[in-house]
Amino acid sequence: MFKYDGIQAMRLGRLDYAMECFERALAIQDDVETHQFYANALISTDDIEGAIEELELIRGAEPENTENLMLLAELCFQTEDYDRTEQFCDEALGIDSTLSTPHHTLARKAFAQGDLINAVAQSTMAITAREDYYDAYLFRATVLHAMGQDCEAEKDIDVVLSHNEESDETTLLKAQIEEGLGKDKEAEEYFRKTIDLNPFSSDAYLRLGALMMRLGRKKEAEELAKEAMEYAPQAMNGINGNYTNWEEAVKGNNPFA
């Protein structure tokens, strides 16, 4: 009764009551499914450590449950516990070596630790395991761009765009890669497309303004600044009316500029 009351409470958004119900249910009978619902409720309230404890209990009961292991890996990654992130990914791969998600998580972990070469290698393994893993293509493009390998990054970002052209994250990265390749016209096109998709994209405004300044189009940069002040005023914090500061503002907004 407590378990199903908790499930109903979760559906109604009453998380505190749901967790109380799950706790009372578990006090009566230990149950893997109840632990799972309880963990989900804890995640919804940002109690990541509490959720990890519940998922560890499930791991003890179902050591072959790769979905549970990958959720553990993801939560450990979020808390920057990279050793356990790797541990759970390795456990999942030990159970099923054909999985793609563990490699993607390991790629993100490597990137967070500054190991860009391994980040590319793990992304490649994720894509090899699943050819339509577009998040892995996007991530590998991000890493390759950070390494200055824009020719290779362009191939990956074009794969992602062939699947979905309506993601501002993807068009923004495409614009940065095109700029890195010296294709200023194409870069401007994709910066503008990013702004069309997301008028609140501070990064797109800053990078487009910096591109205009580099091309000697100061008047257009000033007009862009006025537009940004309306939709993304935070983008202008580093400009302060001095349109020669665009490049510095870009660097301040993104350490991988």
Side-chain angles (χ1 to χ4, degrees), residues 29-245:
Q29 178 180 325
D30 193 52
D31 174 68
V32 168
E33 189 178 35
T34 306
H35 282 297
Q36 184 67 68
F37 280 116
Y38 189 24
N40 291 342
L42 289 165
I43 292 170
S44 296
T45 59
D46 292 325
D47 184 354
I48 303 302
E49 291 297 337
I52 288 173
E53 290 180 15
E54 291 301 310
L55 295 172
E56 284 275 28
L57 293 172
I58 297 173
R59 174 174 168 245
E62 298 181 348
E64 302 291 302
N65 185 335
T66 57
E67 287 186 14
N68 185 64
L69 287 169
M70 288 316 303
L71 183 52
L72 272 166
E74 179 61 32
L75 295 180
C76 288
F77 176 77
Q78 291 178 21
T79 59
E80 299 183 4
D81 186 346
Y82 298 132
D83 287 341
R84 283 209 292 171
T85 299
E86 184 171 355
Q87 174 193 340
F88 294 132
C89 287
D90 287 345
E91 283 185 29
L93 288 169
I95 295 164
D96 184 353
S97 62
T98 68
L99 292 173
S100 56
T101 306
H103 291 298
H104 182 51
T105 301
L106 288 169
R108 292 160 59 218
K109 172 232 173 209
F111 188 65
Q113 294 180 302
D115 185 357
L116 304 189
I117 293 174
N118 195 37
V120 171
Q122 289 290 346
S123 292
T124 301
M125 284 189 274
I127 292 165
T128 300
R130 182 178 139 200
E131 291 184 4
D132 64 346
Y133 202 162
Y134 298 108
D135 284 347
Y137 280 106
L138 178 63
F139 189 75
R140 189 170 68 177
T142 301
V143 180
L144 289 167
H145 174 63
M147 296 171 70
Q149 296 183 22
D150 285 316
C151 284
E152 295 303 312
E154 185 180 37
K155 297 174 186 175
D156 280 348
I157 202 66
D158 285 345
V159 170
V160 182
L161 283 168
S162 70
H163 170 68
N164 180 13
E165 294 185 330
E166 302 305 314
S167 164
D168 62 284
E169 179 186 7
T170 304
T171 55
L172 179 60
L173 181 56
K174 170 71 171 177
Q176 293 171 239
I177 291 169
E178 295 302 288
E179 186 174 15
L181 291 169
K183 300 178 181 179
D184 294 333
K185 181 179 178 181
E186 291 84 351
E188 180 175 350
E189 174 189 343
Y190 278 97
F191 281 133
R192 291 193 181 279
K193 182 162 187 176
T194 301
I195 293 169
D196 288 341
L197 291 168
N198 179 11
F200 309 106
S201 175
S202 300
D203 212 8
Y205 281 113
L206 287 173
R207 291 179 182 280
L208 180 55
L211 174 62
M212 288 175 172
M213 289 299 297
R214 181 167 61 79
L215 297 175
R217 293 157 55 186
K218 182 177 178 181
K219 199 73 176 174
E220 291 178 69
E222 292 176 2
E223 291 300 317
L224 184 70
K226 293 175 185 176
E227 181 182 341
M229 282 300 297
E230 181 178 355
Y231 293 103
Q234 68 276 15
M236 296 295 99
N237 290 342
I239 304 301
N240 297 325
N242 182 353
Y243 301 109
T244 62
N245 287 346

Side-chain angles (χ1 to χ4, degrees), residues 5-6 9-10 12-24 38 41-42 44-45:
D5 277 357
M10 277 189 70
L12 296 173
R14 299 173 60 193
L15 294 175
D16 288 344
Y17 180 63
M19 288 189 288
E20 182 182 341
C21 288
F22 294 139
E23 288 168 4
R24 296 180 72 175
Y38 189 24
L42 289 165
S44 296
T45 59

